[in-house]
């Protein structure tokens, strides 16, 4: 479920059976020495996953990447790097952290403010700021991309603090995404309620379905919502189809998609 309440199909798997095999004459010789059509599956882990990542976690400043998949987890940003010892210390910190994290150093000639904005736009999970005063005090400032929270950290404790910070960020980003989904998932039992919810409340609608294509088509025509998911292991919420009132077969998550 994206930020605007629309559903995005992504990371799905499909059982094609032998439909495509028959269309394209894809066969194999079975152990009984007869030609048979292959059965195919499709696993949709594609670039659409990247789009979902951007839409679920991103904000007005740019990307917000979960630490586990971020190409760069930590960006060291030296402040007043032309002053003696600053760039050397920043490089030392970067090299030390690289043993445990994916780390880069922004040693370009851009201003600190520009560097901060650029790393925020790129979604780097944690920024480490290090200037002359920080070095003199044997500390630095770390900034979380997802919350913007700044924390002063003693350099000798930086590795341990970063490890916990990245772990917390990973967990909390998932929790926020789940909370958003749950807050925008609505349970309905009647068709008028379904139509009203679809029109006024962006998100998922949990409702029972009889399994008939005609009801699925009617729901789409009336509301723009389509069946998005039939979850395993969830308790059914009724005995009749939300559309026609006949005995229901499946609990379905419905939603409007892109």
């Amino acid at each position: 479920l994206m930020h605007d309440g629309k559903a995005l199909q992504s990371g799905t798997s499909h059982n094609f059976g032998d439909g495509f095999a028959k269309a394209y004459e894809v066969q194999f010789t079975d152990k009984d020495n007869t030609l048979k059509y292959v059965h195919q599956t499709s696993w949709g882990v594609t670039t659409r996953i990247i789009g979902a990542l951007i839409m679920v976690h991103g904000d007005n400043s740019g990307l917000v990447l979960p630490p586990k998949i971020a190409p760069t987890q930590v960006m060291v940003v030296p402040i007043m790097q032309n002053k003696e010892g600053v760039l050397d210390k920043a490089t030392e910190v970067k090299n030390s952290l690289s043993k445990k994290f994916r780390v880069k150093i922004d040693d370009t000639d851009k201003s600190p403010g520009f560097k901060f904005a650029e790393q925020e736009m790129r979604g780097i999970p944690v920024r480490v700021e290090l200037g002359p005063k920080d070095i003199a005090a044997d500390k630095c400032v770390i900034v979380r991309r997802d919350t913007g929270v700044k924390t002063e950290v003693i350099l000798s404790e930086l590795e341990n603090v970063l490890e916990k910070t990245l772990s917390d960020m990973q967990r909390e980003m998932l929790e926020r995404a789940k909370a958003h989904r749950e807050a925008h998932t609505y349970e309905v039992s009647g068709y008028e309620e379904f139509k009203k919810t679809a029109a006024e409340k962006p998100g998922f609608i949990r409702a029972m379905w009889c399994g008939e294509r005609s009801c699925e088509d009617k729901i789409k025509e009336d509301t723009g919502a389509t069946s998005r998911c039939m979850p395993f292991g969830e308790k059914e919420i009724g005995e009749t189809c939300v559309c026609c009132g006949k005995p229901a077969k499946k609990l379905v998550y419905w939603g409007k998609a892109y």
Side-chain angles (χ1 to χ4, degrees):
L1 187 69
M2 304 299 104
H3 270 292
D4 60 1
K6 287 187 177 180
L8 179 71
Q9 180 179 322
S10 58
T12 53
S13 60
H14 301 271
N15 181 1
F16 290 148
D18 59 4
F20 282 98
K22 288 179 178 178
Y24 293 98
E25 289 295 322
V26 182
Q27 296 177 302
F28 70 101
T29 302
D30 203 352
K31 60 184 178 181
D32 59 6
N33 206 34
T34 61
L35 284 174
K36 294 183 179 178
Y37 290 103
V38 302
H39 286 245
Q40 295 171 289
T41 58
S42 168
W43 301 86
V45 181
T46 65
T47 50
R48 191 180 293 196
I49 290 289
I50 299 174
L53 174 74
I54 294 169
M55 288 189 283
V56 169
H57 298 298
D59 58 24
N60 290 337
S61 295
L63 293 172
V64 182
L65 296 176
K68 285 187 177 181
I69 64 168
T72 301
Q73 297 173 308
V74 180
M75 181 65 72
V76 179
V77 181
I79 311 298
M80 301 175 69
Q81 66 185 43
N82 292 328
K83 287 205 169 185
E84 184 178 356
V86 172
L87 194 53
D88 289 340
K89 187 64 176 180
T91 302
E92 179 188 318
V93 169
K94 181 260 184 187
N95 292 338
S96 176
L97 295 176
S98 293
K99 298 173 184 177
K100 198 161 192 176
F101 312 104
R102 297 185 290 277
V103 187
K104 288 185 177 180
I105 183 171
D106 188 345
D107 57 0
T108 63
D109 292 331
K110 301 168 185 173
S111 70
F114 190 98
K115 292 180 181 183
F116 298 163
E118 185 173 43
Q119 305 317 323
E120 288 175 2
M121 180 183 67
R122 295 173 59 201
I124 307 298
V126 177
R127 181 173 78 238
V128 176
E129 301 173 3
L130 192 65
K133 292 183 179 180
D134 300 310
I135 295 171
D138 197 32
K139 64 182 182 181
C140 65
V141 175
I142 67 170
V143 186
R144 276 180 56 160
R145 172 61 182 89
D146 61 330
T147 62
V149 172
K150 294 186 176 184
T151 307
E152 283 192 353
V153 180
I154 297 173
L155 288 176
S156 61
E157 299 176 358
L158 181 57
E159 182 179 309
N160 291 335
V161 172
L162 282 176
E163 186 172 22
K164 183 179 186 306
T165 299
L166 292 171
S167 176
D168 289 346
M169 184 175 174
Q170 181 77 28
R171 185 189 71 256
E172 291 168 14
M173 286 180 67
L174 178 59
E175 289 173 351
R176 284 195 295 270
K178 284 183 175 181
H180 173 78
R181 184 190 64 194
E182 295 304 314
H184 295 84
T185 299
Y186 310 96
E187 189 174 298
V188 304
S189 57
Y191 197 48
E192 290 303 315
E193 183 186 9
F194 188 107
K195 290 190 290 185
K196 181 177 175 64
T197 302
E200 298 177 0
K201 297 179 179 180
F204 285 136
I205 299 175
R206 297 174 77 243
M208 300 301 295
W209 176 50
C210 62
E212 294 294 327
R213 179 65 180 267
S214 57
C215 282
E216 190 174 15
D217 290 342
K218 179 174 175 56
I219 288 172
K220 182 177 180 180
E221 181 180 349
D222 290 347
T223 69
T226 55
S227 57
R228 308 310 308 170
C229 179
M230 298 178 190
F232 295 118
E234 287 200 20
K235 186 178 179 181
E236 295 185 351
I237 59 174
E239 298 180 352
T240 58
C241 174
V242 71
C243 182
C244 68
K246 293 178 182 178
K249 296 179 179 179
K250 297 284 186 181
L251 169 63
V252 177
Y253 279 68
W254 306 83
K256 296 179 182 179
Y258 291 96

